[in-house]
C-alpha cells in the first residue's frame, strides 16, 4: 500500500458530485417543513429557499477562489490549514470526519429508507425502515470502498436520474397549476397565520439541510483532474443549478396539490403530488426516481466519510496516521479510513434513532443532527474567509473583499437563524460538539 491518491475524476463528475450530493432527499424531506414553518405562505417559503440558496452559493464561490490557489488532499481542510495554520486545519478536519460527514450520511441513509418505506407502504420508524437504513449505509460504503471509479459513475448516473422527477414536477406542475388555478390559489391563500420573522428563520434553517453537503465535493480535489480549474467551476456551476432546481420544483409542487394537503401528508406529500399529476402508476414510477435520488446523495456523502480520517492521516495527524493514510494499491482507496468513517456513521445513526425516531433514550439531551451541525460548520468558515481577505493581496477587490464579506454575513445569518429556530437544542448540540473536539485534542500531534 502507499499513501497517494490518483487523478481519476473529471469536471463533469465534479459537477455531478456537487449537484448529486446536495440534490436528493432534502428538497423532498424539507419541503413540507418549510410550508409548515411558513403557515402555507408560499411566497415566504420561496424566499426561504432563495436565502438558503444564496448563502450556499456565496460560500461556495468564496471557497472556489481558494480552490484556484491551493490543492492537497481534502479541500476544506487544506483551506483551513492555509488560512489559519495546521492546528486549526486539524480541528476542522476532525469535526468534518467525526461529526459533519457522518451525521449527514447517517440521516441520508434513514431518509433513503424512509422513502423506500413510503413506496412499499411500510412504517417509516419500524423494523423495516431500520433494516433498509442499515443495508443502504453498508451498500454505499462497499461501493465507495471497493470501487471509487464505479462510485463516481454511479454519482453521475443518479444525478441525471434525480433531475427527471424534479424537472417534470417543475414544468408539468407549473403548467397544470396555472391552468387549473391551483398555483394562484396557493400563492394567495395562507393556511395558518404565523410571525413572519420567526417563520422565515425556521424555514431558512430547514432549507439548510436540503442545501448542505456541497463542501464534501472538495474532499476529492486530490483525485480531480486539473483540480485548480475544475473544482472552482464545479462548485459555482453546481450550486447555482441546485438553487434553480429547488425553487422551480417548489413552485411546481404548488400546481399539483394544495398547501394544506401537502402539509397534512407529511412524508407522503411528495408521492401524493406525483400521483396527482401523473396518475397512480406514473406517480409511483417517478417516486422510484426519488428513492434513487436519495441514494445518489447518500453515495456522495459516503464519499466524504470514507476520506475524512485520511485527510488527517496524510498530514501525520489524528489516530494512527500510519494505518489510516494507507491507500490500497488495487482500488486506490484509503480503505482503513473508509472503515472508521462507516463506524462514525453507525454511532450517529444510533443517536438519531434514540433521539428522533423513538421514545427518547437520552431524556432531554436531544437535538436535530440534520440541521444543528450547520452552526459549527458555518462558524468554522468565518475565520477562513477573514484570512482570505487579510492574506490574498493579489486578488481583485471583488474576490478579496466583496465575495468573502458577503459569505461571512451569510454564515452569521445561518448561525443566528439556527440558534433562534432550535433554542435549547443548540446547547445540547454544542455540548456534544465540545466533547468531540476535546477528544480530538488527544489525537493532535504537537504543532512545531
Amino acid at each position: 500500500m502507499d499513501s497517494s491518491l490518483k487523478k481519476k475524476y473529471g469536471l463533469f463528475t465534479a459537477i455531478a458530485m456537487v449537484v448529486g450530493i446536495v440534490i436528493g432527499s432534502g428538497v423532498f424531506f424539507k419541503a413540507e417543513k418549510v410550508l409548515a414553518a411558513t403557515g402555507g405562505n408560499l411566497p415566504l417559503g420561496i424566499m426561504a429557499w432563495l436565502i438558503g440558496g444564496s448563502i450556499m452559493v456565496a460560500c461556495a464561490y468564496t471557497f472556489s477562489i481558494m480552490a484556484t490557489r491551493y490543492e492537497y488532499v481534502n479541500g476544506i481542510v487544506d483551506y483551513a490549514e492555509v488560512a489559519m495554520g495546521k492546528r486549526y486545519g486539524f480541528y476542522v478536519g476532525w469535526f468534518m470526519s467525526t461529526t459533519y460527514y457522518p451525521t449527514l450520511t447517517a440521516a441520508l441513509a434513514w431518509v433513503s429508507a424512509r422513502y423506500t418505506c413510503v413506496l412499499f407502504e411500510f412504517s417509516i420508524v419500524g423494523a423495516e425502515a431500520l433494516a433498509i437504513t442499515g443495508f443502504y449505509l453498508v451498500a454505499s460504503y462497499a461501493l465507495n470502498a471497493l470501487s471509487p471509479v464505479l462510485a463516481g459513475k454511479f454519482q453521475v448516473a443518479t444525478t441525471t436520474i434525480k433531475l427527471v422527477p424534479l424537472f417534470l414536477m417543475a414544468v408539468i406542475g407549473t403548467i397544470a397549476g396555472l391552468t387549473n388555478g391551483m398555483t394562484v390559489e396557493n400563492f394567495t391563500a395562507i393556511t395558518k397565520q404565523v410571525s413572519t420573522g420567526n417563520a422565515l428563520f425556521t424555514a431558512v434553517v430547514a432549507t439548510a439541510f436540503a442545501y448542505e453537503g456541497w463542501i464534501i465535493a472538495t474532499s476529492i480535489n486530490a483525485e480531480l483532474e486539473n483540480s485548480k480549474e475544475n473544482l472552482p467551476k464545479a462548485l459555482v456551476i453546481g450550486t447555482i443549478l441546485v438553487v434553480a432546481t429547488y425553487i422551480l420544483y417548489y413552485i411546481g409542487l404548488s400546481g399539483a396539490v394544495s398547501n394544506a394537503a401537502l402539509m397534512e401528508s407529511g412524508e407522503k406529500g411528495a408521492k401524493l403530488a406525483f400521483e396527482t399529476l401523473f396518475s397512480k402508476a406514473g406517480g409511483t414510477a417517478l417516486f422510484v426516481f426519488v428513492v434513487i435520488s436519495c441514494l445518489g446523495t447518500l453515495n456522495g456523502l459516503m464519499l466524504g466519510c470514507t476520506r475524512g480520517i485520511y485527510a488527517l492521516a496524510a498530514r501525520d495527524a489524528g489516530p494512527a496516521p500510519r494505518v489510516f493514510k494507507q491507500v490500497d494499491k488495487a482500488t486506490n482507496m484509503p480503505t482503513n479510513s473508509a472503515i472508521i468513517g462507516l463506524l462514525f456513521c453507525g454511532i450517529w445513526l444510533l443517536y438519531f434513532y434514540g433521539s428522533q425516531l423513538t421514545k427518547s433514550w437520552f431524556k432531554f439531551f436531544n437535538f436535530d443532527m440534520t440541521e444543528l451541525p450547520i452552526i459549527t460548520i458555518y462558524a468554522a468558515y468565518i475565520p477562513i474567509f477573514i484570512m482570505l481577505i487579510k492574506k490574498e493581496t493579489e486578488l481583485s477587490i471583488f474576490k478579496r473583499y466583496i465575495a468573502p464579506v458577503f459569505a461571512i454575513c451569510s454564515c452569521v445569518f445561518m448561525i443566528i437563524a439556527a440558534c433562534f429556530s432550535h433554542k435549547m437544542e443548540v446547547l445540547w448540540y454544542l455540548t456534544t460538539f465540545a466533547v468531540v473536539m476535546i477528544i480530538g485534542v488527544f489525537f493532535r500531534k504537537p504543532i512545531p
Side-chain angles (χ1 to χ4, degrees), residues 95-115:
F95 164 70
M96 298 294 286
S97 58
T98 61
T99 305
Y100 184 75
Y101 293 152
T103 53
L104 286 179
T105 306
L108 254 297
W110 175 75
V111 173
S112 301
R114 162 184 166 156
Y115 284 116

Side-chain angles (χ1 to χ4, degrees), residues 79-296:
Y79 310 147
E81 188 175 277
V82 168
M84 298 293 294
K86 291 183 178 180
R87 181 177 286 103
Y88 191 76
F90 169 80
Y91 284 118
V92 168
W94 180 253
F95 164 70
M96 298 294 286
S97 58
T98 61
T99 305
Y100 184 75
Y101 293 152
T103 53
L104 286 179
T105 306
L108 254 297
W110 175 75
V111 173
S112 301
R114 162 184 166 156
Y115 284 116
T116 304
C117 289
V118 170
L119 190 63
F120 291 104
E121 298 185 350
F122 297 153
S123 166
I124 64 169
V125 294
E128 301 94 339
L130 293 177
I132 296 170
T133 299
F135 169 74
Y136 283 159
L137 198 61
V138 174
S140 178
Y141 157 78
L143 180 63
N144 277 273
L146 297 176
S147 181
V149 173
L150 183 59
K153 291 180 179 178
F154 180 75
Q155 193 66 31
V156 173
T158 55
T159 298
T160 304
I161 290 170
K162 72 177 57 182
L163 293 175
V164 173
L166 289 169
F167 282 128
L168 281 176
M169 178 59 72
V171 175
I172 306 301
T174 301
I175 293 173
L178 291 175
T179 302
N180 61 25
M182 180 73 75
T183 299
V184 175
E185 180 182 339
N186 280 334
F187 264 88
T188 54
I190 298 176
T191 306
K192 179 182 177 183
Q193 290 295 332
V194 294
S195 169
T196 301
N198 295 353
L200 187 61
F201 266 21
T202 303
V204 170
V205 173
T207 69
F209 175 77
Y211 282 125
E212 274 305 299
W214 56 270
I215 192 64
I216 296 175
T218 65
S219 68
I220 64 165
N221 69 339
E223 303 161 79
L224 186 60
E225 297 169 359
N226 195 9
S227 174
K228 290 185 178 180
E229 181 178 334
N230 286 336
L231 185 56
K233 288 180 180 177
L235 287 173
V236 174
I237 294 171
T239 51
I240 290 174
L241 281 173
V242 169
V243 177
T245 302
Y246 276 12
I247 292 176
L248 290 173
Y249 169 79
Y250 198 68
I251 293 172
L253 275 181
S254 70
V257 292
S258 68
N259 291 341
L262 191 62
M263 292 163 63
E264 290 171 4
S265 300
E267 71 275 0
K268 298 180 181 179
K271 188 168 184 281
L272 173 64
F274 282 112
E275 289 180 351
T276 301
L277 276 183
F278 302 104
S279 77
K280 186 172 180 62
T284 300
L286 284 172
F287 201 72
V288 172
F289 282 28
V290 172
V291 175
I292 295 173
S293 170
C294 295
L295 293 176

Side-chain angles (χ1 to χ4, degrees), residues 63-74:
F63 275 121
S64 78
I65 297 170
M66 302 189 76
T68 63
R69 304 172 73 80
Y70 309 110
E71 173 189 347
Y72 187 34
V73 296
N74 186 302

